[in-house]
Amino acid sequence: MEFATGALGTLLPKLGRLLQDEYKLQKSVKKDIQFLTDELDSMRAALHKVGDVPLEQLDEQVNIWERDVRELSYDMEDVVDTFLVQVKGPDPPSRSSSKRLVRKMVNMFTKGRTHHHIAEEIKDIKERVIQVATRRDRQDNLAKAVFNKIKDKFHCTVFVTVSHNHVIEKIFKDILYELDGGKYENIHTKMLDLKQLMDLVKKLLMDKRYLIVIDDMWDITTWKILKCVLSENNTRSRVIITTRIMEVAKHIGGFYELKPLTHENSKILFYKRIFESEDRCPSQFYEVSEKILKKCGGVPLAILTTSSLLPHKLEDINEWHRLCDSIGSGLGGSHDLDNMRKILSLSYYDLPSHLKTCLLYLSLFPEDYWFRRDRLIWRWIAEDFIRRRERDQSLFEVGENYFNQLSNRNLIQISKTNVEGMPQSCRVHDMVLDLICSLSKEESFVTTRLGDTSMPSSRCNIRRLSLHSTSWPGNGMPKLRSLGIFGGASIFDSMPSLSSCKLLQVLDLEYCNLKNHLSLKFVGDLIHLRYLGLRHTYYEGKLPEELSKLQFLQTLDLKGARVEKLPTSLVRLRQLVCLCVDSDTMLPSGLGKITSLERLSGAMDSKFILEELRHLTWLKQLNVHVLPNKEGRSDQNPDTALLESLGNLQKIKYLSIWKDRADLEGSVESLGYLRRLIISTAISMPAWINPASVIFLSELHIEINEMRGCEILVLGTLLALCYLYLFFRDLQMKQRFAAKQRFAGAMARLETFEFSIRLLDFMSGDFEDLAMGHLPSLRSVCVHIEPGRIDEEVKSSVEEMLKHEGAVHPNHPSIMIRRESVIDLMMTATAHNAILRMHE
């Protein structure tokens, strides 16, 4: 689904499915469906053109037509979805009811049908907008400042700006004019092809020391063409390129990513613009100034634009507070902020239509709200925003790509990453959030209610609702597709039953306290549901058997819900892709039937359930807690069953095994894509942890009861390893580090090393250091020391040795030392594991 085209992106494929023989529709009905498909396809093409045009540039008639067609597409998709749900249900629709369904859609379309020439009108509007856009004044101050500072050191200089909708020939003409304005005074009126222009530029630059600044590069293709004329002539010439697109920067290479200003520099910029300096700021304005600076988030544009509005408001501090509030509640409410909105919206309208939809969806999150990346992607999938282009590519992988594109354009801020640098939690900058909230409100894409704010007078067309610390707005929302609640149980407790929301596809109650809520039986009536988020709700009741009615459910997230076990009827959900429950929540037998699963977590106490894992060949992430068999039968070896199943999971990337004294010896040849491995605890180091089997392993957390000296050397051969957590029990230091010289050059990428040692191992005096100097990328070390009955002088000596190793290491890694008893060490490992499980 794409915002510009409404539901047409998903409706058209569904209409195509109805034409297939499995639905056994009459010929006349199929003919009507084909008619609808053809007509709607032409509308979709027109809507794509509309989506590229800023709202303020659209003719009112086109705007109204656009909204009508979008609403029509949503209504028609609701009809088709209802039919498809019935087909999957116990009482499939008859031929006559199928005919009535299609006739209903044809009638909808006839009422909403418009003139065919609308597409041409839109095309004309778009061309006029492009002409305006190419005349905009856009100059990168930093690049210009650098250019002016160093240009005197070069024979010739050029500063050109690449407009978004540029013509490559014009760029070369601009370069020629800047190089020799006298000779090429009339170059813009001459008819020269691209090759002729490139030859002229190349000839002018030959044997000259030149400085060229190409400002605001938008695509890689343009850079490849420009690069052809920038020959290496050994004159120490320089080329500086600015771009807002991370993909372009990475392709060009050698880039510097402009960071947000620090708080101190933000204050200097802000106060200088208004008061000339911070010490001249009246004390009564200081608190509100700090709030404004926080919302600007270190973005120079935001600081400059906001501060330019304030000098003439010094007589009334309430004006400052109103401006601060307006930044957090929608840019559309202030004409003074129009310029900022236009600048920010440039990045929005540069997005392809599917990314516009994904970005607008972020308007459902509250201000300053940090959310998990995966939660967002699974919701995108449930909303049908993600379109798979390759058969072997999962929807989640496509969603990751969408997310990265938005992040690279700095439209999403990352707060936390994993060892591989993959984002885990993120937020939307206040200024960007203001823009997308304003756009979303204008187009009724997401309806948000904050506190006591009023709802739209007409609620019948509300399709996505986000409630922020407020009460339930009342009934009368029959078309509601998505509901997210932020702000605790009070909202949910005041709500009527959601059973009336028959079309609900997304229900996200994360962090709503449902501890006292007795039943979720109503969920079984939400037969369109695709996403059910109950993470950290503390719901302690049983999941209803009616959950099996949700044949379209894709994501079931119960982490932190304290559910003891899942009902066996859950295995009927054959479209389930993500099933996340706590490590002590029992998974049902029959899991092997849900072959669509890509992510699975939970507890298993049966060899037979572990054997079923082999059928889940799409699994990318598996977090399994193997519990003792409740019947205590010794003839069942769960470890062997688990290893055999792992051998069939060719796509697994993230694997966590929680079991006391797991025997994981054996051959596993399917882990070629494994990135993260967590084992707690193993009897010994599994032989399949070797560079041939886990070539891409970058993160390893492992607790081992017994370890031979030669096994520690295997870790040194894991070339991709960046994070290593080692917890040993009853192990001599000599066994771990005696062969340290053989570690030279090993684990070259290791950045974080966490391990436990015993002071008793140092008593022999054989150890001068812990060989940290052989880890060239080391940044952080955490050492857990078990003191025992050792002289205080030995303790101090060991700690000094550790600190010395950090000091002499080229990277000067941080060294954290913790003195802990055996019990403390065990508790540390337990706490470490608990944190890992929480973030899985």
Side-chain angles (χ1 to χ4, degrees):
M1 183 189 298
E2 299 169 359
F3 165 65
T5 60
L8 289 178
T10 51
L11 174 59
L12 289 170
K14 290 175 182 178
L15 289 176
R17 286 172 58 191
L18 291 178
L19 293 174
Q20 297 174 7
D21 292 337
E22 64 176 293
Y23 294 102
K24 301 177 182 179
L25 298 180
Q26 298 174 354
K27 287 185 178 180
S28 60
V29 175
K30 288 185 176 182
K31 185 176 180 180
D32 285 339
I33 292 176
Q34 189 63 58
F35 161 75
L36 287 173
T37 301
D38 294 341
E39 292 295 322
L40 291 172
D41 198 29
S42 64
M43 285 187 173
R44 183 188 182 192
L47 282 173
H48 264 300
K49 297 179 181 179
V50 171
D52 292 334
V53 182
L55 289 174
E56 63 269 17
Q57 302 291 342
L58 283 175
D59 180 80
E60 184 63 24
Q61 181 182 355
V62 176
N63 224 334
I64 294 173
W65 173 84
E66 172 201 27
R67 293 178 186 176
D68 288 346
V69 174
R70 272 209 299 266
E71 289 299 319
L72 169 68
S73 69
Y74 285 126
D75 290 341
M76 292 178 68
E77 186 179 45
D78 289 342
V79 173
V80 175
D81 281 347
T82 300
F83 173 78
L84 293 175
V85 168
Q86 291 173 355
V87 170
K88 295 284 185 180
D91 301 311
S94 63
R95 285 197 170 195
S96 59
S97 62
S98 302
K99 190 172 184 179
R100 285 196 300 271
L101 170 139
V102 176
R103 179 48 51 192
K104 184 177 181 179
M105 287 193 295
V106 171
N107 290 337
M108 287 181 181
F109 176 78
T110 303
K111 290 179 181 179
R113 194 172 184 180
T114 55
H115 299 294
H116 291 286
H117 65 267
I118 193 74
E120 290 302 317
E121 294 179 3
I122 295 168
K123 182 178 179 181
D124 293 339
I125 293 170
K126 183 179 178 181
E127 289 176 352
R128 293 199 302 271
V129 173
I130 291 175
Q131 291 172 6
V132 173
T134 55
R135 294 195 298 269
R136 67 186 179 275
D137 180 20
R138 294 167 47 240
Q139 175 178 302
D140 190 309
N141 292 330
L142 177 60
K144 193 67 175 179
V146 173
F147 177 81
N148 290 333
K149 186 175 182 178
I150 65 176
K151 63 181 181 181
D152 293 335
K153 300 178 181 179
F154 297 84
H155 299 143
C156 55
T157 59
V158 175
F159 191 108
V160 293
T161 298
V162 180
S163 65
H164 181 200
N165 299 285
H166 62 270
V167 177
I168 188 65
E169 288 84 357
K170 182 181 182 302
I171 296 175
F172 279 104
K173 289 180 179 181
D174 290 341
I175 293 174
L176 286 169
Y177 182 81
E178 292 242 358
L179 287 172
D180 194 339
K183 184 176 180 179
Y184 295 103
E185 182 179 3
N186 300 317
I187 187 65
H188 291 91
T189 63
K190 294 184 178 296
M191 299 296 294
L192 298 173
D193 61 29
L194 180 59
K195 185 179 184 307
Q196 290 173 311
L197 292 168
M198 291 175 67
D199 289 340
L200 288 173
V201 172
K202 194 168 186 177
K203 185 176 180 181
L204 273 178
L205 296 178
M206 190 177 298
D207 300 324
K208 289 185 177 68
R209 188 178 185 221
Y210 56 82
L211 169 65
I212 297 179
V213 175
I214 303 171
D215 184 32
D216 212 10
M217 182 76 72
W218 283 82
D219 61 89
I220 295 172
T221 303
T222 302
W223 163 244
K224 288 181 177 179
I225 296 174
L226 288 168
K227 188 178 180 181
C228 293
V229 303
L230 305 175
S231 57
E232 294 287 344
N233 54 19
N234 298 319
T235 58
R236 294 184 298 163
S237 296
R238 294 290 182 268
V239 178
I240 300 174
I241 297 169
T242 70
T243 180
R244 67 187 71 192
I245 312 297
M246 183 60 70
E247 183 181 359
V248 175
K250 289 180 177 178
H251 178 83
I252 295 173
F255 68 93
Y256 170 77
E257 184 177 1
L258 196 61
K259 306 293 184 183
L261 297 179
T262 64
H263 185 63
E264 287 302 314
N265 285 334
S266 295
K267 289 199 297 184
I268 292 172
L269 183 61
F270 181 82
Y271 289 116
K272 183 178 181 181
R273 185 71 176 261
I274 305 172
F275 305 106
E276 294 186 357
S277 65
E278 181 180 354
D279 55 12
R280 294 192 176 188
C281 173
S283 58
Q284 67 268 30
F285 287 95
Y286 191 80
E287 183 178 351
V288 67
S289 296
E290 290 295 306
K291 290 181 179 179
I292 292 173
L293 280 171
K294 179 179 179 295
K295 291 193 172 188
C296 289
V299 178
L301 171 63
I303 296 170
L304 290 171
T305 307
T306 305
S307 59
S308 67
L309 305 175
L310 296 172
H312 64 283
K313 303 180 186 294
L314 293 176
E315 295 180 359
D316 187 358
I317 193 173
N318 291 325
E319 289 290 327
W320 285 52
H321 284 289
R322 276 191 284 271
L323 175 65
C324 181
D325 292 340
S326 71
I327 295 174
S329 59
L331 295 173
S334 172
H335 292 297
D336 293 334
L337 293 171
D338 280 350
N339 186 48
M340 186 192 301
R341 179 177 178 178
K342 289 177 181 177
I343 296 172
L344 289 173
S345 66
L346 181 63
S347 292
Y348 170 78
Y349 284 106
D350 176 59
L351 295 172
S353 56
H354 62 278
L355 290 185
K356 287 192 182 87
T357 305
C358 292
L359 181 62
L360 281 186
Y361 197 67
L362 298 177
S363 63
L364 61 89
F365 291 113
E367 185 180 354
D368 294 327
Y369 185 87
W370 297 99
F371 53 89
R372 290 178 295 106
R373 181 204 66 159
D374 292 6
R375 175 188 183 186
L376 174 64
I377 295 176
W378 290 121
R379 287 191 61 164
W380 279 347
I381 293 172
E383 294 272 7
D384 260 337
F385 295 163
I386 309 296
R387 313 306 303 167
R388 184 190 288 116
R389 287 185 170 83
E390 298 178 12
R391 188 174 181 180
D392 291 337
Q393 194 174 30
S394 72
L395 288 175
F396 190 85
E397 289 171 334
V398 178
E400 286 181 308
N401 179 264
Y402 286 9
F403 182 94
N404 291 338
Q405 290 185 59
L406 293 174
S407 174
N408 289 340
R409 293 169 183 259
N410 298 312
L411 295 172
I412 297 179
Q413 290 183 312
I414 309 301
S415 67
K416 184 179 180 181
T417 61
N418 63 14
V419 173
E420 297 178 283
M422 298 293 290
Q424 290 183 310
S425 62
C426 44
R427 69 181 287 265
V428 184
H429 188 281
D430 290 343
M431 298 290 180
V432 177
L433 183 62
D434 286 338
L435 173 67
I436 61 177
C437 283
S438 178
L439 292 170
S440 182
K441 182 178 180 180
E442 289 179 23
E443 295 302 318
S444 301
F445 184 71
V446 173
T447 302
T448 302
R449 189 182 188 194
L450 304 88
D452 297 327
T453 56
S454 60
M455 290 282 289
S457 55
S458 176
R459 300 178 185 177
C460 61
N461 286 330
I462 292 179
R463 288 191 164 83
R464 299 180 185 91
L465 179 61
S466 182
L467 302 177
H468 303 173
S469 301
T470 185
S471 58
W472 180 249
N475 295 326
M477 293 177 285
K479 299 179 181 179
L480 191 64
R481 290 179 169 215
S482 175
L483 174 62
I485 297 178
F486 304 87
S490 57
I491 303 175
F492 190 78
D493 291 342
S494 66
M495 289 167 48
S497 173
L498 289 174
S499 300
S500 60
C501 301
K502 299 294 185 183
L503 300 175
L504 199 64
Q505 297 180 357
V506 173
L507 179 58
D508 192 346
L509 304 177
E510 187 163 322
Y511 282 105
C512 288
N513 192 336
L514 305 182
K515 185 176 182 178
N516 298 321
H517 206 76
L518 299 178
S519 174
L520 295 176
K521 191 173 181 179
F522 72 90
V523 172
D525 295 326
L526 307 178
I527 57 177
H528 287 262
L529 207 61
R530 299 179 181 181
Y531 180 100
L532 180 56
L534 299 174
R535 180 175 287 233
H536 299 306
T537 57
Y538 306 107
Y539 174 74
E540 296 179 341
K542 293 182 178 180
L543 286 183
E545 291 290 336
E546 289 82 357
L547 203 67
S548 62
K549 296 180 182 179
L550 309 182
Q551 290 298 308
F552 288 87
L553 193 66
Q554 298 168 326
T555 298
L556 178 58
D557 191 345
L558 295 167
K559 282 276 189 177
R562 299 180 179 175
V563 174
E564 289 186 7
K565 64 178 182 179
L566 301 183
T568 55
S569 59
L570 188 80
V571 300
R572 300 175 192 167
L573 305 180
R574 304 301 169 80
Q575 295 195 36
L576 201 60
V577 182
C578 174
L579 176 57
C580 290
V581 299
D582 288 332
S583 59
D584 56 353
T585 299
M586 294 302 304
L587 296 170
S589 59
L591 275 176
K593 298 176 182 178
I594 317 178
T595 55
S596 55
L597 278 172
E598 296 181 17
R599 183 172 299 187
L600 175 64
S601 66
M604 302 179 182
D605 66 350
S606 165
K607 168 188 174 183
F608 304 107
I609 301 179
L610 289 164
E611 287 176 342
E612 289 185 86
L613 291 176
R614 70 179 63 190
H615 302 294
L616 308 181
T617 56
W618 276 94
L619 273 182
K620 307 290 194 309
Q621 180 170 334
L622 173 62
N623 309 319
V624 56
H625 185 191
V626 183
L627 297 175
N629 183 266
K630 56 187 176 183
E631 299 178 1
R633 296 209 306 261
S634 60
D635 59 324
Q636 297 187 14
N637 189 337
D639 299 343
T640 301
L642 176 59
L643 283 177
E644 290 177 353
S645 290
L646 289 178
N648 210 37
L649 305 183
Q650 303 289 331
K651 300 179 183 293
I652 200 79
K653 289 184 178 180
Y654 306 101
L655 174 63
S656 300
I657 301 172
W658 311 94
K659 184 181 184 296
D660 186 35
R661 294 181 60 84
D663 182 2
L664 300 176
E665 284 300 324
S667 176
V668 182
E669 300 178 356
S670 63
L671 305 179
Y673 292 102
L674 195 65
R675 300 292 195 274
R676 182 181 70 211
L677 176 62
I678 301 171
I679 300 177
S680 175
T681 62
I683 294 176
S684 61
M685 177 77 78
W688 44 268
I689 299 182
N690 62 71
S693 299
V694 290
I695 188 172
F696 296 117
L697 187 67
S698 61
E699 183 176 354
L700 176 61
H701 307 247
I702 187 166
E703 298 175 43
I704 302 176
N705 290 88
E706 301 172 6
M707 193 170 188
R708 294 176 293 272
C710 59
E711 291 175 337
I712 190 70
L713 299 179
V714 175
L715 298 178
T717 63
L718 302 178
L719 302 181
L721 201 62
C722 296
Y723 182 103
L724 177 59
Y725 173 88
L726 283 174
F727 187 85
F728 299 94
R729 297 174 181 174
D730 301 324
L731 191 66
Q732 294 295 321
M733 178 67 71
K734 187 175 292 186
Q735 292 176 295
R736 305 180 205 181
F737 294 102
K740 66 183 182 182
Q741 296 302 325
R742 296 175 61 183
F743 267 72
M747 291 194 286
R749 297 182 61 186
L750 190 70
E751 297 180 3
T752 302
F753 189 18
E754 186 170 357
F755 59 96
S756 61
I757 60 176
R758 298 188 309 168
L759 286 174
L760 181 63
D761 296 322
F762 288 88
M763 291 298 291
S764 64
D766 294 338
F767 295 94
E768 299 177 2
D769 58 47
L770 291 177
M772 293 182 194
H774 296 299
L775 305 174
S777 301
L778 200 62
R779 301 289 178 185
S780 175
V781 177
C782 183
V783 185
H784 303 270
I785 298 178
E786 180 194 339
R789 297 179 179 178
I790 304 298
D791 186 84
E792 187 65 31
E793 184 177 345
V794 176
K795 298 176 185 178
S796 300
S797 175
V798 172
E799 291 185 3
E800 286 299 318
M801 182 191 70
L802 292 169
K803 292 177 182 178
H804 174 72
E805 286 203 52
V808 300
H809 193 286
N811 298 337
H812 304 297
S814 62
I815 305 291
M816 181 181 294
I817 301 172
R818 294 177 177 173
R819 292 190 184 186
E820 297 167 313
S821 65
V822 174
I823 295 177
D824 289 335
L825 284 172
M826 297 288 291
M827 293 179 65
T828 296
T830 303
H832 176 83
N833 294 339
I835 293 172
L836 289 176
R837 295 180 190 183
M838 183 174 64
H839 291 292
E840 284 179 338

